[in-house]
């Protein structure tokens, strides 16, 4: 019973996120901050999707997606920063220096793609990411 209620709440959150995502991107005049806010919502939706799947059979068969969902919050900060920057400056154009904010997630993603994510990462990655 408890698991069914939790899955229902997560699915309702996914439905709301999809509605907001659709409204943002179907606007007649899509500006840069619409894109960054939509990317933020997409990351949230991906994390919710992995959490819903983890409540069922998927966590026992495909654990990589579940472990990846723990590191998706590393994208929240940079995406909110870009959203705020592009909202405050109407004709904001991203610079290469902004990409530095995505380094923690990129480091984990490289580790995730090259190593076995079911094992603990090396100690220096735990220090950097933890």
């Amino acid at each position: 019973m408890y698991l069914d209620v939790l899955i229902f709440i997560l699915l309702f959150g996914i439905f709301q996120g999809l509605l907001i995502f659709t409204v943002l991107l179907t606007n007649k005049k899509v500006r840069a901050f619409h894109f960054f806010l939509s990317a933020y919502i997409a990351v949230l939706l991906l994390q919710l999707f992995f959490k819903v799947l983890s409540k069922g059979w998927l966590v026992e068969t495909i654990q990589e997606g579940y472990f990846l969902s723990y590191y998706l919050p590393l994208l929240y900060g940079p995406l909110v920063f870009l959203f705020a920057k592009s909202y405050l400056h109407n004709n904001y154009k991203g610079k290469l220096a902004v990409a530095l904010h995505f380094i923690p997630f990129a480091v984990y993603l490289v580790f995730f793609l090259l190593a076995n994510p079911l094992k603990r990462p090396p100690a220096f990655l735990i220090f950097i990411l933890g």
Side-chain angles (χ1 to χ4, degrees):
M1 175 75 175
Y2 170 74
L3 191 59
D4 294 336
V5 172
L6 184 62
I7 289 174
F8 173 75
I9 291 170
L10 289 172
L11 287 174
F12 189 69
I14 289 173
F15 177 71
Q16 285 180 328
L18 287 173
L19 282 176
I20 293 171
F21 185 80
T22 305
V23 167
L24 283 172
L25 291 182
T26 56
N27 196 357
K28 289 182 180 181
K29 186 177 181 184
V30 177
R31 294 179 28 205
F33 74 89
H34 288 113
F35 174 73
F36 292 124
L37 185 59
S38 297
Y40 179 77
I41 291 172
V43 171
L44 286 171
L45 286 173
L46 187 62
Q47 190 170 15
L48 280 175
F49 179 72
F50 283 136
K51 295 301 178 189
V52 166
L53 292 180
S54 72
K55 303 299 179 211
W57 60 271
L58 187 70
V59 76
E60 297 158 359
T61 56
I62 305 172
Q63 295 180 344
E64 289 84 7
Y66 183 70
F67 288 118
L68 178 65
S69 73
Y70 279 112
Y71 292 96
L72 287 174
L74 292 172
L75 293 173
Y76 293 165
L79 289 172
V80 168
F81 171 73
L82 288 171
F83 164 70
K85 193 110 168 149
S86 65
Y87 185 75
L88 294 174
H89 305 289
N90 286 336
N91 39 354
Y92 173 74
K93 298 201 179 188
K95 296 180 178 152
L96 189 57
V98 173
L100 295 175
H101 296 286
F102 291 98
I103 287 177
F105 184 74
V107 167
Y108 176 74
L109 195 60
V110 166
F111 170 75
F112 184 79
L113 294 174
L114 297 178
N116 185 358
L118 302 178
K119 294 183 180 178
R120 290 187 60 95
F124 76 93
L125 280 179
I126 293 174
F127 176 73
I128 292 173
L129 298 175

